[in-house]
């Protein structure tokens, strides 16, 4: 069978190398989004009957960026991006710890600032642990499913790949994260915990679904400008 007879669905999936500046930009934004969401997640948020945390509006963006990286650059590069993002998140957490333990001024203003820092950044290491385990499992599963589906469908069915991988990745991510982070933000009873998990999963998945046209558009834009895509 010649290469011309191979259908796009059975041909090897196309990916780009990371030599262009686009991957670096995506990785930098993904890392910043995760670090900021880790800080925001230390605050419990109650919007009427809805229980969530302060990072709820940021975290889905990390998954959207993960979808773009997985689709354009492949699973191995996506895995490198996940590990790099987590290394930077751990570094940020260590910096928060150093800032807190450094001796401050003894006056009332210095004491107030110290208390504010401890209250805002003190719980972050536990949140980072939750995020490390959850994001590692969820993003890896998300990237793996997306790339496996791409191997079956080729360049077709991009929307289905994004939506299918997002559901699985977000569920695993939300369940692991909420199980570890719940006590840090003050959730102690089962009903509130179930609310926290359900709201987190449904919200993140809904945001990703709503942004599928944007994600697909960004993927198409980068594919056209990546000189190594499919080479």
């Amino acid at each position: 069978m010649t290469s011309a007879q191979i259908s796009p669905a059975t041909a090897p999936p196309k990916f780009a190398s990371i030599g262009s500046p686009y991957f670096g930009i995506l990785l930098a934004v993904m890392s910043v989004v995760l670090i900021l969401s880790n800080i925001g997640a230390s605050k419990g948020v109650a919007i009427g009957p809805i229980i969530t945390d302060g990072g709820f509006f940021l975290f889905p963006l990390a998954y959207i960026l993960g979808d773009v990286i997985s689709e354009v650059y492949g699973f191995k590069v996506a895995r490198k991006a996940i590990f790099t993002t987590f290394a930077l998140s751990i570094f940020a957490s260590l910096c928060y710890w150093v800032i807190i333990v450094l001796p401050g001024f003894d006056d009332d203003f210095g004491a107030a600032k110290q208390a504010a820092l401890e209250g805002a950044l003190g719980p972050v290491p536990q949140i980072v642990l939750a995020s490390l385990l959850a994001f590692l499992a969820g993003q890896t599963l998300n990237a793996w499913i997306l790339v496996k589906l791409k191997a079956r469908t080729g360049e077709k069915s991009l929307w289905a790949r994004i939506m299918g991988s997002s559901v699985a990745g977000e569920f695993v991510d939300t369940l692991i994260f909420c199980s570890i982070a719940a006590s840090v933000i003050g959730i102690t009873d089962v009903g509130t915990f179930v609310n926290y998990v359900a709201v987190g999963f449904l919200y993140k998945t809904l945001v990703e679904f709503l942004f599928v046209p944007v994600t697909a558009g960004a993927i198409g834009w980068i594919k056209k400008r990546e000189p190594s895509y499919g080479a």
Side-chain angles (χ1 to χ4, degrees):
M1 179 180 292
T2 65
S3 59
Q5 294 174 305
I6 299 176
S7 64
T10 58
K14 298 178 181 179
F15 297 110
S17 67
I18 57 176
S20 76
Y22 297 110
F23 173 73
I25 295 171
L26 291 169
L27 177 60
V29 176
M30 185 175 176
S31 300
V32 171
V33 166
L34 183 61
I35 290 171
L36 292 178
S37 65
N38 285 341
I39 298 173
S42 64
K43 176 181 177 178
V45 173
I47 304 174
I50 297 175
I51 304 299
T52 183
D53 58 62
F56 77 95
F57 67 98
L58 275 171
F59 194 76
L61 296 178
Y63 264 81
I64 292 171
L65 292 166
D67 285 339
V68 176
I69 291 173
S70 300
E71 173 69 22
V72 177
Y73 300 98
F75 179 70
K76 290 183 179 180
V77 174
R79 187 171 56 188
K80 288 181 181 180
I82 294 168
F83 290 151
T84 301
T85 299
F86 279 127
L88 293 173
S89 187
I90 292 173
F91 175 70
S93 186
L94 291 173
C95 289
Y96 303 149
W97 176 77
V98 171
I99 292 169
I100 289 173
V101 300
L102 286 173
F105 296 151
D106 295 330
D107 57 10
D108 292 341
F109 180 75
K113 292 289 288 184
Q114 179 68 19
L117 283 170
E118 291 176 359
L121 301 181
V124 167
Q126 293 95 311
I127 297 295
V128 169
L129 174 63
S131 182
L132 280 170
L133 298 177
F135 198 66
L136 179 62
Q139 270 283 20
T140 302
L141 181 62
N142 178 74
W144 184 81
I145 291 175
L146 191 148
V147 172
K148 285 293 184 181
L149 291 174
K150 185 174 183 178
R152 290 174 175 268
T153 62
E155 294 296 304
K156 300 177 181 179
S157 305
L158 175 58
W159 285 38
R161 288 199 296 276
I162 295 173
M163 296 171 73
S165 61
S166 296
V167 170
E170 290 288 12
F171 178 75
V172 170
D173 183 291
T174 304
L175 183 61
I176 295 174
F177 179 82
C178 292
S179 298
I180 299 173
S183 61
V184 178
I185 66 173
I187 295 175
T188 56
D189 62 277
V190 175
T192 306
F193 174 75
V194 172
N195 186 321
Y196 186 35
V197 173
V199 168
F201 170 66
L202 292 175
Y203 166 76
K204 293 171 186 176
T205 305
L206 177 61
V207 169
E208 287 217 44
F209 282 7
L210 291 176
F211 274 83
V212 164
V214 178
T215 305
I219 288 172
W221 189 88
I222 294 174
K223 283 180 177 179
K224 291 179 181 179
R225 287 160 179 78
E226 274 287 8
S228 63
Y229 185 77

